[in-house]
Amino acid sequence: MDALVYHGAGKRALEVKPKPDIIKPTDAIVTISKTTICGTDLHIMKGDVPTVTDGRILGHEGVGIIDQVGASVSNFKPGDHVLISCISSCGKCPNCKKGMYSHCENGGGWILGNTIDGTQAEYVRIPFADNSLYPIPHDADEEALVMLSDILPTGFECGVLNGRVKPGDTVAIVGGGPIGLAALLTARFYSPSEIMMIDIDDNRLAVSKELGATRLVNNSDGTATKQVMALTNDKGVDVAIEAIGIPASFNICQEIVAAGGHIANIGVHGKPVQLNLDRLWSHNITLTTRLVDTVTTPMLLKTVLSGTVKPKQLITHHFSLSEIMKAYDTFGNAMEERALKVIITNE
Ligand SMILES: [Zn+2]
Ligand SMILES: [Zn+2]
């Protein structure tokens, strides 16, 4: 089968690899229909994620059709249409029982396209299939549902739920990429009074406006904090969502959070940040971090199927699996290419 293979920092290739086999009775093999490339894959390509080794098939998002199931898989049978979660989980260990699938103690968590082969291929092996796949209707819009593998639950759980967005809140999202936009789409469930989007790219800001941002803050001159404080009468925001993962974006969050507010970190940080406790100690703030658990996927799936949330608006480019090298080039050059999410179809 064709697959996108990682060969160390900066090196990737579209190669022919053997079709995966069932290894454990809880596995399923899924024929990929649609997949995508994540910002995390770009981190991997930079060599930022040492758990990904030479020869790994990348990808942790996608929808497909069950090809085979192991003997103990009871929720799915060949031919079923499924959504693949970026987090695999046994559903039985203490952490899974608490809903913390990301820290599954039986070898689950974020393993797809990381420590085991992923979804940027014609087929993928999904461990713990009963708990790591979600049934989808045969006639569902597959492209919209690809946004549920990772970005919607990540924006919602790590940003909106951890940030405890409430009706009337003032919310600022630092970073208007797919994850920041997913946080924006799902923050709207709670009717905040303002959603400010902070980015350096006017195109992304324009998209965020279409998706419901009420204030656009262009930080290309580094004045985001000043602009947000001016917009809030120097009070700051109730919820500051960090959706980039660099010290500068975290710093904006700690500068703009109001007394009693929440900083919800989503970004994947590769470097330490400075925490200004000398100012924040008396400000009654909370700071949260999280790896997405995907426990809200069934709920989010309903909102997408009903049209309450329309994540298809995040899709900007389409490629076939044979063009995946080009898809990486386009996604890696997101600002010039005006790319948000790219859809890759296994034809
Ligand atoms: Zn992802
Ligand atoms: Zn578990």
Side-chain angles (χ1 to χ4, degrees):
M1 65 168 187
D2 287 340
L4 190 283
V5 183
Y6 172 77
H7 285 298
K11 286 181 233 140
R12 57 177 148 85
L14 178 63
E15 290 175 6
V16 176
K17 296 275 273 186
K19 184 183 163 186
D21 288 322
I22 300 274
I23 297 175
K24 288 189 175 167
T26 47
D27 289 348
I29 305 298
V30 177
T31 312
I32 295 290
S33 311
K34 310 263 179 195
T35 182
T36 182
I37 305 170
C38 183
T40 305
D41 297 320
L42 298 184
H43 276 290
I44 293 170
M45 285 312 308
K46 279 199 258 167
D48 285 349
V49 188
T51 46
V52 184
T53 50
D54 188 352
R56 178 69 60 233
I57 300 173
L58 298 185
H60 51 263
E61 296 163 82
V63 296
I65 299 169
I66 300 272
D67 175 58
Q68 307 169 49
V69 292
S72 67
V73 173
S74 57
N75 292 351
F76 300 99
K77 59 181 189 310
D80 286 351
H81 288 234
V82 289
L83 164 70
I84 299 166
S85 175
C86 65
I87 300 291
S88 307
S89 52
C90 76
K92 294 174 179 171
C93 70
N95 279 348
C96 281
K97 292 263 188 191
K98 299 199 266 207
M100 199 164 62
Y101 297 165
S102 61
H103 293 268
C104 171
E105 294 166 62
N106 283 328
W110 174 45
I111 55 174
L112 273 183
N114 177 6
T115 56
I116 66 169
D117 285 337
T119 58
Q120 290 166 5
E122 291 178 62
Y123 298 90
V124 65
R125 180 179 70 90
I126 303 293
F128 310 119
D130 274 340
N131 209 54
S132 309
L133 295 171
Y134 297 89
I136 56 175
H138 284 239
D139 57 353
D141 183 340
E142 291 179 332
E143 296 190 0
L145 295 183
V146 172
M147 307 299 121
L148 280 164
S149 290
D150 177 355
I151 64 166
L152 275 181
T154 297
F156 183 58
E157 294 177 13
C158 308
V160 176
L161 288 184
N162 274 17
R164 298 192 224 159
V165 176
K166 297 187 302 300
D169 272 357
T170 304
V171 177
I173 300 169
V174 184
I179 293 285
L181 294 171
L184 165 63
L185 285 173
T186 53
R188 295 181 64 196
F189 291 150
Y190 297 98
S191 305
S193 61
E194 296 274 15
I195 307 179
M196 301 176 186
M197 182 58 79
I198 302 168
D199 203 281
I200 56 169
D201 178 358
D202 278 327
N203 175 53
R204 288 186 167 192
L205 289 171
V207 172
S208 75
K209 189 170 185 195
E210 279 169 41
L211 300 183
T214 58
R215 305 275 188 172
L216 307 180
V217 174
N218 188 315
N219 189 40
S220 44
D221 58 357
T223 60
T225 297
K226 222 171 127 190
Q227 294 182 60
V228 170
M229 295 314 280
L231 289 168
T232 57
N233 294 323
D234 276 334
K235 196 171 161 273
V237 298
D238 300 306
V239 184
I241 295 175
E242 199 291 320
I244 302 178
I246 56 172
S249 51
F250 179 80
N251 198 44
I252 293 171
C253 290
Q254 62 181 341
E255 286 174 348
I256 63 174
V257 68
H262 308 291
I263 300 173
N265 185 81
I266 313 178
V268 178
H269 288 263
K271 285 192 189 131
V273 300
Q274 183 179 313
L275 179 63
N276 296 335
L277 272 181
D278 53 324
R279 191 181 79 82
L280 294 172
W281 72 270
S282 61
H283 276 54
N284 305 29
I285 67 138
T286 59
L287 165 64
T288 53
T289 71
R290 186 171 184 177
L291 179 59
V292 65
D293 291 298
T294 66
V295 278
T296 62
T297 301
M299 181 282 275
L300 291 168
L301 181 58
K302 286 189 212 168
T303 68
V304 172
L305 291 175
S306 70
T308 310
V309 172
K310 297 188 177 69
K312 217 179 163 177
Q313 294 162 296
L314 303 178
I315 298 166
T316 53
H317 292 74
H318 292 81
F319 299 93
S320 66
L321 184 60
S322 61
E323 300 169 315
I324 193 167
M325 292 294 283
K326 197 172 135 203
Y328 262 86
D329 293 337
T330 301
F331 187 62
N333 204 6
M335 204 152 150
E336 287 76 9
E337 300 283 353
R338 299 189 158 211
L340 286 167
K341 286 302 265 186
V342 301
I343 288 286
I344 293 154
T345 303
N346 175 23
E347 282 160 347

